[in-house]
Amino acid sequence: MAASGFEGFEKRLELQFFGDDPSVLTGMGLRQLEFESLEQVLDAVQCTVVSAVGNHFFDAYVLSESSLFVYPTKIIIKTCGTTQLLKSIRPLLLYARHLGLTLCSCRYTRGSFIFPMAQPFPHTSFKEEVIYLEDCLPSNLCYRKASVMPSKIPSHSWHVFTAASDEAHVMIGSTPHVPDVLYTLEICMTELDRVLARKFFKRPGDEKTGDSAGKEMTKLTGIGDINPGALICDFAFDPCGYSMNGIIDGDRYSTIHVTPEDGFSYASFEFVGSIYDDHEDDVAQVLKKVVQVFRPATMSVSTTCTSHEVWTKVAKALEPLGWKCRSCTMDEFPAAGSVVFQTFTSRRK
């Protein structure tokens, strides 16, 4: 492994809000934030917007280091490298307050960094991150839990912090008037197949823009087939690397980020689905396509859901493809539901 390189493993922050005025929940809410305000938040994190797409339900931004999703009452920021993600919390809470919104839940997750010594404050350790989170969050988020979910693969463990208010227990997991059970899959893949990873490098002398080179990579790699029909916003970095946000259906998204350099190659895939989805969008179908695109040697899958039936589909989908489940850990978190963390190794030579 390289002594130092680009940190692929992302930090992910999800903040959910509520408003005393019911119109906030049905209106634009956080989507009203000026682009300059979002830029100030991202400046604190140390990243920028490179591309964006939106629909009736939310806005999706590809960042110089991963992704940002803005809903009327929810924000998700996912950043890699040496970004300082948690520094987004204070400015976001301030902007939300101006819109009449109050924080009701927070979820922070990440894997194990490949280069932990390169991380800046407050990401120098999970303990420091939790102290920083506790300090930033308002007192109404009184149900709090921090946990490191281990695995039998030393390089893969899952760090989870959640905090929730009384209101969150009523609101999380459902859209007003639409009873639904959503799940989030967060997949972290390391030691990518070298031949496949080369597809995420720009050719020497290639003058294409990040947008057009990104579209080419989406097509060449098979990423466009993972969620057919998705509205895709993609970007290729110079000299290598790739990011994609996909608007799947209504308020659902998928996102992919690739660090293809040999020695610390990494790819992530995140996907939000419903347990009521039909077979075409099933977990198994998505997982099969993802592992075909990257063929990693090692992979972890974190499933967050209030229902217990989703995570069982993960091993059932992967084992027939030559993957061995090395470990499975489960824990319960306030308002977030259950988090199941599974690790797999490939039987490929």
Side-chain angles (χ1 to χ4, degrees), residues 146-189:
S147 178
V148 180
M149 302 177 74
S151 80
K152 291 181 179 175
I153 302 170
S155 57
H156 283 263
S157 57
W158 197 240
H159 305 71
V160 185
F161 173 89
T162 66
S165 66
D166 287 320
E167 291 85 1
H169 290 282
V170 178
M171 295 179 61
I172 300 287
S174 65
T175 307
H177 316 303
V178 185
D180 199 356
V181 181
L182 298 178
Y183 61 85
T184 304
L185 281 185
E186 293 172 74
I187 302 173
C188 301
M189 297 168 275

Side-chain angles (χ1 to χ4, degrees), residues 180-334:
D180 199 356
V181 181
L182 298 178
Y183 61 85
T184 304
L185 281 185
E186 293 172 74
I187 302 173
C188 301
M189 297 168 275
T190 52
E191 298 171 74
L192 311 182
D193 179 275
R194 288 183 182 185
V195 174
L196 297 177
R198 293 301 304 176
K199 294 180 181 180
F200 296 98
F201 281 78
K202 277 187 168 181
R203 288 185 295 275
D206 189 343
E207 297 297 320
K208 289 189 186 74
T209 64
D211 292 305
S212 61
K215 282 180 176 49
E216 190 176 84
M217 286 180 186
T218 299
K219 190 175 180 181
L220 282 173
T221 58
I223 284 172
D225 301 322
I226 295 173
N227 297 114
L231 174 61
I232 289 177
C233 180
D234 38 22
F235 196 87
F237 296 92
D238 209 6
C240 65
Y242 168 91
S243 286
M244 176 280 270
N245 291 332
I247 293 179
I248 302 169
D249 178 34
D251 60 353
R252 323 262 188 82
Y253 68 85
S254 65
T255 184
I256 290 175
H257 304 286
V258 187
T259 301
E261 293 99 321
D262 199 28
F264 49 94
S265 65
Y266 170 86
S268 68
F269 174 79
E270 182 178 328
F271 171 69
V272 174
S274 164
I275 64 166
Y276 304 117
D277 283 345
D278 61 29
H279 184 67
E280 287 305 308
D281 294 318
D282 197 21
V283 178
Q285 299 299 317
V286 170
L287 283 169
K288 283 176 186 175
K289 292 173 184 175
V290 169
V291 296
Q292 282 165 358
V293 168
F294 298 106
R295 290 190 64 217
T298 309
M299 174 168 64
S300 68
V301 183
S302 169
T303 310
T304 305
C305 189
T306 52
S307 161
H308 287 277
E309 57 196 83
V310 180
W311 69 271
T312 56
K313 297 180 181 180
V314 174
K316 282 179 187 172
L318 293 175
E319 283 171 346
L321 300 174
W323 289 84
K324 183 173 175 61
C325 185
R326 295 292 178 183
S327 57
C328 180
T329 316
M330 183 186 289
D331 207 345
E332 297 285 334
F333 292 87

Side-chain angles (χ1 to χ4, degrees), residues 327-346:
S327 57
C328 180
T329 316
M330 183 186 289
D331 207 345
E332 297 285 334
F333 292 87
S338 65
V339 176
V340 181
F341 180 62
Q342 297 165 276
T343 56
F344 298 87
T345 51
S346 170

